[in-house]
Amino acid sequence: EDKVVQSPLSLVVHEGDTVTLNCSYEVTNFRSLLWYKQEKKAPTFLFMLTSSGIEKKSGRLSSILDKKELSSILNITATQTGDSAIYLCAVGGPKDAGNMLTFGGGTRLMVKP
Amino acid sequence: DSGVTQTPKHLITATGQRVTLRCSPRSGDLSVYWYQQSLDQGLQFLIQYYNGEERAKGNILERFSAQQFPDLHSELNLSSLELGDSALYFCASSVGGLAGRVQETQYFGPGTRLLVL
């Protein structure tokens, strides 16, 4: 059974700080790793990392996939209060399991002014 | 706004009842997924449909069933409801390349919050 573990469980920082969120996974047939941000309701897509795309960046957010260590990090620089959310990491299932995602428990980030 | 719509937003019902949740995928998306999010279990995959056919199944209870219609909208039916079924139910959709076998970005709807009393 695929497993995704995120750390820390929660994090409180002040505006302007840099944070690093961790995700480790155990999957039988890795295809991709996705990061989502969940504020009030629906998770919104941030990045997808695959064997052919192990590093992604968008503004103050960036993510790296380490296939050797079976892990990924999500970095947020110069944090803002609007970054407060739950950040979810998910891995894609094997080809014969369709396109299902297995999610980690999430990291709750709170950014204080 | 992801383009995925779900109705209703909230649902309050009693144990033993049956409810239907509805989802319309993004325009052009062929794959639809259902997830359950509860406080103790996190986001759990239930089932995937691709172009009307079941493509993958997760830990979906036998009391739950889903279908995808010719117009690609999907419904999740929950029956004999129990208190533990109270959760947020999300629908997501993706393009559905290669008959739904390709790992694609899934876009989530706003969810339906179900409360079973």
Side-chain angles (χ1 to χ4, degrees):
Chain A
E1 188 176 310
D2 293 352
K3 190 175 174 185
V4 180
V5 177
Q6 292 186 245
S7 63
L9 245 63
S10 66
L11 202 49
V12 180
V13 300
H14 286 94
E15 271 192 318
D17 288 349
T18 293
V19 298
T20 298
L21 311 183
N22 301 287
C23 174
S24 63
Y25 59 88
E26 294 175 24
V27 298
T28 52
N29 190 1
F30 177 83
R31 286 200 287 163
S32 62
L33 185 144
L34 291 81
W35 284 97
Y36 284 85
K37 177 183 181 183
Q38 185 174 24
E39 294 176 86
K40 291 180 182 176
K41 273 235 179 149
T44 54
F45 172 73
L46 294 175
F47 299 117
M48 181 162 72
L49 304 163
T50 66
S51 299
S52 57
I54 61 170
E55 192 167 348
K56 293 283 174 77
K57 183 175 169 61
S58 176
R60 297 178 295 103
L61 276 66
S62 63
S63 183
I64 298 173
L65 175 68
D66 187 335
K67 283 202 72 181
K68 190 176 176 184
E69 297 295 326
L70 306 184
S71 65
S72 174
I73 60 170
L74 176 69
N75 280 321
I76 308 175
T77 59
T79 52
Q80 302 171 356
T81 54
D83 295 326
S84 296
I86 297 173
Y87 290 84
L88 298 166
C89 170
V91 292
K95 285 183 183 178
D96 59 0
N99 197 5
M100 62 174 282
L101 292 176
T102 299
F103 281 85
T107 292
R108 183 181 294 273
L109 174 66
M110 181 182 293
V111 181
K112 291 187 172 180
Chain B
D1 185 354
S2 67
V4 178
T5 60
Q6 289 186 247
T7 56
K9 287 184 182 177
H10 303 276
L11 203 45
I12 302 174
T13 189
T15 53
Q17 294 298 304
R18 173 190 168 95
V19 297
T20 297
L21 314 183
R22 184 189 167 102
C23 166
S24 291
R26 295 185 319 159
S27 177
D29 283 0
L30 298 177
S31 276
V32 168
Y33 314 80
W34 287 97
Y35 291 86
Q36 179 193 57
Q37 187 175 40
S38 57
L39 282 173
D40 56 342
Q41 293 287 325
L43 253 178
Q44 302 274 315
F45 170 73
L46 295 178
I47 197 163
Q48 174 194 358
Y49 277 83
Y50 167 77
N51 204 20
E53 292 188 5
E54 184 182 303
R55 184 70 188 88
K57 214 167 188 176
N59 296 325
I60 187 167
L61 298 170
E62 282 191 17
R63 300 183 284 108
F64 296 1
S65 65
Q67 54 183 328
Q68 185 180 27
F69 294 87
D71 66 351
L72 300 176
H73 91 272
S74 177
E75 292 181 357
L76 179 67
N77 300 296
L78 315 175
S79 61
S80 303
L81 284 168
E82 301 174 0
L83 296 178
D85 297 328
S86 298
L88 254 178
Y89 291 84
F90 286 108
C91 168
S93 74
S94 70
V95 173
L98 288 180
R101 293 185 179 86
V102 177
Q103 187 63 64
E104 301 171 328
T105 300
Q106 295 179 23
Y107 295 92
F108 283 75
T112 293
R113 184 173 294 280
L114 173 67
L115 181 59
V116 183
L117 300 174

